[in-house]
Every structure is written in structure tokens, then in C-alpha cells.
Amino acid sequence: MKQIPALWFVLHVACALCKAQAARLEFAQPGVHPASWYGWAAGERGAYQRVRDSRLWWLIVDSGGYVNGVGENLGEVEALRYWAAFGYPRTYARVHSAGLKGDAGFCPQCDVPYCARHWRAAVSGEVKCPLGHGS
């Protein structure tokens, strides 16, 4: 069977407790639509086409701490930074180095990700992980 180089990179970060999605990142190479594009409504496709620079990478983020809708343009250096940050072993320190708001659900003390259901608001208004650590 012939191996075809990937045009897309879709990453699902699972909650350490329930395995639900804590974050989803999708990358598309320059000149290629994101994998999810084919299922988008006409309005979403139009919004994407107005801002997409086909010379740049494309990033879509859906995380409890940050959602960028249909996505944003991303330079190659930034794309490589994200890929390095989300490589294995996935740790808070690595993921945090990407600079993604909300750190894809990772708790700095537990060193694992949690979904939005398991991050909870404390009486103080601060968001806490299931073990009571602040974000």
C-alpha cells in the first residue's frame, strides 16, 4: 500500500479522567483546506476564505481556554512550535511552551489535561482542577 504524506494534522487531547475531548487542534499545510472544511456551512466557508492566506499554515483551536472559530493563519515557525509542544510525552511544560491560552486543559501541578466538565469554578471565582489546583 502506498503511503500518502499528510496534508492535515488533527490532534485531540483527551481528559485524564473521562477521556472526553479537552482540546482539539487542527493544522492545514499552506494551500490546503483544513480537514473539517468539507463539513462546514457556506457561512463558515465564506469567513474562512476571506481571511485565509494560502501561503501560510492554518490553525483551528477548540479548547476550554480558547476557541478561534474557523481558524487563523500561522507561520511555519509557529506551526513547528505547536507540533513540538504537543509531541510525546505530552506534559504541561511542553504544552505551555506553545503559548496557547488555557494550555489545552493541562493542569500545571497534575501535569495532565482535564475537559471543561472537570475544571470547575471555585467559590473564589478561580477555576480549579479536580484535585483543587488553580489553573
Side-chain angles (χ1 to χ4, degrees):
M1 188 165 135
K2 184 178 179 183
Q3 180 91 17
I4 300 171
L7 297 176
W8 306 292
F9 178 92
V10 180
L11 171 71
H12 295 275
V13 177
C15 175
L17 295 179
C18 69
K19 305 306 179 212
Q21 181 173 290
R24 178 181 179 279
L25 287 85
E26 181 177 346
F27 296 89
Q29 291 180 352
V32 176
H33 293 308
S36 60
W37 182 85
Y38 299 96
W40 292 353
E44 292 173 312
R45 286 185 180 195
Y48 162 81
Q49 290 173 327
R50 282 190 293 280
V51 295
R52 175 71 153 124
D53 181 338
S54 64
R55 299 167 297 176
L56 298 174
W57 284 80
W58 189 254
L59 170 66
I60 300 171
V61 178
D62 184 358
S63 173
Y66 179 63
V67 177
N68 69 352
V70 297
E72 60 194 69
N73 291 299
L74 195 66
E76 185 174 356
V77 170
E78 293 168 296
L80 291 173
R81 185 180 78 228
Y82 276 102
W83 281 5
F86 285 93
Y88 285 104
R90 237 175 250 136
T91 63
Y92 171 79
R94 286 186 79 170
V95 169
H96 183 70
S97 72
L100 182 66
K101 183 178 178 190
D103 294 313
F106 272 77
C107 171
Q109 288 82 22
C110 296
D111 208 26
V112 296
Y114 297 110
C115 65
R117 192 180 101 203
H118 287 105
W119 280 101
R120 61 188 186 280
V123 177
S124 65
E126 184 183 15
V127 178
K128 303 264 185 187
C129 82
L131 297 179
H133 305 130
S135 59

